[in-house]
Amino acid sequence: MVAGALEAGLDLTPSRRLNLAAAVHATPLAILRGARATGTSAAATRWRIASAPAARDRFGIYTHPRWQVALERCRNGRTGKWLIEWDH
């Protein structure tokens, strides 16, 4: 797996080149962009992940962290929103 984090956006041409290079080697590619990143990319999916209020037990103590996850773009698929929770 190849992962990268970018402060600014990644334009269409460089993102397409990364996507093609990863596909040739059958390697998953994940690029993390900041909230201010703009522009289009060749990504097959686009996710937006934000924090959500943590779950609490009956005493009001935090038990499980949560995130609000939205699939904003998906080639040949459905978009949607979910509330996910960590529970080992």
Side-chain angles (χ1 to χ4, degrees), residues 13-69:
T13 302
S15 67
R16 180 73 178 141
R17 288 179 182 156
L18 279 172
N19 199 2
L20 289 172
V24 167
H25 298 288
T27 302
L29 173 65
I31 299 175
L32 305 176
R33 302 180 342 159
R36 293 184 219 137
T38 59
T40 59
S41 72
T45 60
R46 183 173 299 125
W47 296 84
R48 186 170 304 270
I49 303 170
S51 63
R56 294 177 183 250
D57 65 8
R58 62 186 172 148
F59 303 108
I61 297 172
Y62 295 118
T63 57
H64 303 294
R66 292 180 175 170
W67 296 270
Q68 182 66 40
V69 178

